[in-house]
């Protein structure tokens, strides 16, 4: 099946749901013991903290899109990320992680897990040798995010996966930026893939969830352990909303990509812009590797204004179409002062992040132009 066919039809059986073209929401906590009907034994469901038919449809689609054996839905992206990390470590484990990883993931590794003796070495990640040199006997996980947060560094997934495999170390990646349509890390040798489904997969800024994809061997224990014990399962209503958003993902993500490229090219030539970070631009230091590993890009990019901190804040405040907000992946355009008023590990000072939404390109560029003119 092609990606569009998987998104629209895999896991959906209208004959199972009285002919309904849209599967219903199984808004229930409990399933009574199944009975045999017409000689057909229905699949067994017990409790929605363990499994649910609505959530399962999304899981089947995500597993197929990422070319994995199985997927598990979680209540949020961080629920999926933290569960994935937890299943790959034990007391006094060592983790290697890229330093420009998503902020809460950085905090979880650097601070929360440190309470249990888990130590994390943060690396730039561009050079696989740097990761190989950071390996220790107690290393159990290499955590990646490619492209990474804010400046969108790209890691060589095939090379890192080979290093990890030889060392007997698990690899995990946050693939939210690329979506399963533009990058498939499992096919490049990575063990576990995480998505914040609240972003492009849901796409409408109205649903929260996360998904983990990997092998049956790796994910099966998590059903009863990291997911069930922590209770961070995706509920059926959120799964239904994310399924609704997923159906238009191939068309939305192309719109984000087209708009972002137009905005990035405009900003790159603007005299008041010092630097643009967008891996689809040939000027990005990891452009060639990104083009090799990925088949497309999204609407997320960053820039540095050639000016003072006050001028950078003024630019943000003058924007009208780009609303000030911390998330991304929805239909709307957003701006976030990534490092204007704070410092982030591995990210240069003054970085302003833009999420380019689905508004008209001319409208978006005009908004940026009027804000830059006032700096």
């Amino acid at each position: 099946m092609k990606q569009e066919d998987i998104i629209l039809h895999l896991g959906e059986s209208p004959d199972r749901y009285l002919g309904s073209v849209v599967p219903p929401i199984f808004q229930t906590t409990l399933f009574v013991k199944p009975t045999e009907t017409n000689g057909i034994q229905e699949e067994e469901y017990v409790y929605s903290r363990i499994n649910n038919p609505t959530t399962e449809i999304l899981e089947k689609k995500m597993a197929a899109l990422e070319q994995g054996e199985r997927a598990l839905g979680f209540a949020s992206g961080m629920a999926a990320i933290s569960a994935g990390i937890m299943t790959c470590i034990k007391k006094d484990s060592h983790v290697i992680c890229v330093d420009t990883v998503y902020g809460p993931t950085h905090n979880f590794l650097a601070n929360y897990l440190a309470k249990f003796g888990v130590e994390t070495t943060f690396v730039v990640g561009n050079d696989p040798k740097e990761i190989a040199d950071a390996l220790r006997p107690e290393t159990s996980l290499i955590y990646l995010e490619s492209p990474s947060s804010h400046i969108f560094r790209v890691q060589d997934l095939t090379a890192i996966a080979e290093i990890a495999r030889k060392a007997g170390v698990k690899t995990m990646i946050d693939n939210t930026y690329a979506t399963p349509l533009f990058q498939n890390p499992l096919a490049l040798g990575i063990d576990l893939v995480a998505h914040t489904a609240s972003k492009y997969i849901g796409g409408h800024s109205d649903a929260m969830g996360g998904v983990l994809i990997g092998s049956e061997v790796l994910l099966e224990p998590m059903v009863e352990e990291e997911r069930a014990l922590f209770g961070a399962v995706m509920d059926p209503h959120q799964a239904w909303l994310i399924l609704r958003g997923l159906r238009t993902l191939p068309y939305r993500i192309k719109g984000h990509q087209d708009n972002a490229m137009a905005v990035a090219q405009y900003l790159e030539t603007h005299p008041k812009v010092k630097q643009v970070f967008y891996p689809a631009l040939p000027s990005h230091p990891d452009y060639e590797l990104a083009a090799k590993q990925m088949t497309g890009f999204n609407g997320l990019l960053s820039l540095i204004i050639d000016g003072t901190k006050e001028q950078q804040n003024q630019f943000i405040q003058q924007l009208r179409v780009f609303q000030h907000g911390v998330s991304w992946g929805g239909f709307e355009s957003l701006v976030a002062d990534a490092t204007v008023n704070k410092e982030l590990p591995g990210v240069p000072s003054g970085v302003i992040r833009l999420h380019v939404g689905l508004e008209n390109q001319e409208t978006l560029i005009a908004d940026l132009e009027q804000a830059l003119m006032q700096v």
Side-chain angles (χ1 to χ4, degrees):
M1 298 177 74
K2 302 297 184 182
Q3 289 176 328
E4 294 86 351
D5 306 322
I6 291 169
I7 286 170
L8 293 178
H9 299 301
L10 183 69
E12 301 188 17
S13 304
D15 57 338
R16 189 179 181 189
Y17 310 124
L18 303 177
S20 175
V21 70
V22 177
I25 307 173
F26 282 83
Q27 193 69 52
T28 181
T29 56
L30 176 66
F31 298 85
V32 295
K33 189 172 178 62
T35 58
E36 191 170 307
T37 305
N38 297 326
I40 300 174
Q41 181 69 42
E42 293 289 338
E43 187 167 358
E44 184 171 358
Y45 298 95
V46 179
Y47 197 65
S48 283
R49 183 163 53 86
I50 308 299
N51 57 356
N52 178 282
T54 310
T55 308
E56 192 176 73
I57 294 172
L58 176 62
E59 292 171 340
K60 287 180 178 179
K61 291 181 188 293
M62 290 299 296
L65 288 170
E66 278 289 12
Q67 302 175 34
E69 293 178 358
R70 188 167 184 179
L72 294 178
F74 289 81
S76 67
M78 270 312 298
I81 288 167
S82 58
I85 292 172
M86 291 293 285
T87 200
C88 294
I89 63 171
K90 58 184 179 181
K91 186 179 183 297
D92 298 327
S93 281
H94 174 245
V95 178
I96 300 170
C97 179
V98 292
D99 60 357
T100 49
V101 74
Y102 177 51
T105 305
H106 190 286
N107 185 29
F108 182 70
L109 287 166
N111 301 314
Y112 187 81
L113 289 182
K115 297 190 297 183
F116 306 100
V118 177
E119 186 176 348
T120 301
T121 298
F122 291 96
V123 297
V124 175
N126 296 62
D127 184 359
K129 186 178 183 299
E130 180 191 20
I131 291 176
D133 290 345
L135 286 169
R136 303 178 187 173
E138 63 271 24
T139 304
S140 61
L141 174 65
I142 298 172
Y143 189 93
L144 308 170
E145 185 178 300
S146 182
S148 65
S149 293
H150 301 299
I151 58 175
F152 315 114
R153 288 178 181 151
V154 179
Q155 298 105 57
D156 189 332
L157 302 186
T158 302
I160 294 170
E162 180 64 21
I163 290 168
R165 191 160 40 248
K166 289 180 179 178
V169 173
K170 290 287 187 294
T171 50
M172 178 176 170
I173 185 171
D174 183 340
N175 198 34
T176 304
Y177 182 101
T179 82
L181 303 189
F182 289 160
Q183 183 170 258
N184 296 123
L186 296 178
L188 300 176
I190 301 300
D191 295 307
L192 197 56
V193 173
H195 284 279
T196 297
S198 321
K199 304 297 194 284
Y200 284 116
I201 293 168
H204 291 78
S205 298
D206 60 2
M208 185 169 291
V211 184
L212 279 179
I213 308 100
S215 67
E216 186 72 34
V217 170
L218 193 55
L219 265 65
E220 173 59 28
M222 296 178 66
V223 175
E224 298 285 352
E225 294 177 2
E226 282 80 11
R227 190 173 72 167
L229 293 180
F230 297 163
V233 65
M234 182 186 293
D235 78 77
H237 188 241
Q238 295 301 303
W240 188 88
L241 287 170
I242 293 168
L243 278 168
R244 183 202 59 181
L246 179 63
R247 292 187 181 98
T248 59
L249 176 61
Y251 308 97
R252 287 187 292 101
I253 198 67
K254 289 173 184 175
H256 285 289
Q257 176 182 243
D258 291 346
N259 280 2
M261 179 58 83
V263 166
Q265 290 173 338
Y266 157 76
L267 290 171
E268 193 172 40
T269 59
H270 199 286
K272 292 186 177 180
V273 176
K274 185 177 181 180
Q275 190 173 0
V276 177
F277 301 93
Y278 188 54
L281 290 175
S283 58
H284 192 282
D286 300 328
Y287 168 75
E288 291 185 5
L289 179 58
K292 177 183 176 183
Q293 289 184 166
M294 302 171 65
T295 57
F297 301 87
N298 71 12
L300 203 60
L301 59 91
S302 295
L303 70 151
I304 298 178
I305 300 294
D306 191 5
T308 64
K309 177 180 176 181
E310 289 71 25
Q311 289 174 310
Q312 292 164 351
N313 273 317
Q314 184 179 2
F315 165 74
I316 293 168
Q317 296 303 319
Q318 292 299 325
L319 289 168
R320 295 295 176 262
V321 180
F322 287 84
Q323 302 171 78
H324 200 176
V326 298
S327 190
W328 51 273
F331 59 89
E332 72 281 10
S333 291
L334 297 168
V335 59
D337 53 338
T339 61
V340 172
N341 298 308
K342 59 183 175 182
E343 293 184 4
L344 292 175
V347 183
S349 178
V351 169
I352 298 169
R353 191 184 71 190
L354 298 178
H355 175 251
V356 183
L358 297 176
E359 297 90 348
N360 181 273
Q361 284 183 16
E362 293 180 3
T363 301
L364 294 170
I365 291 174
D367 189 40
L368 292 165
E369 177 65 21
Q370 64 84 21
L372 285 167
M373 290 296 291
Q374 300 182 64
V375 172

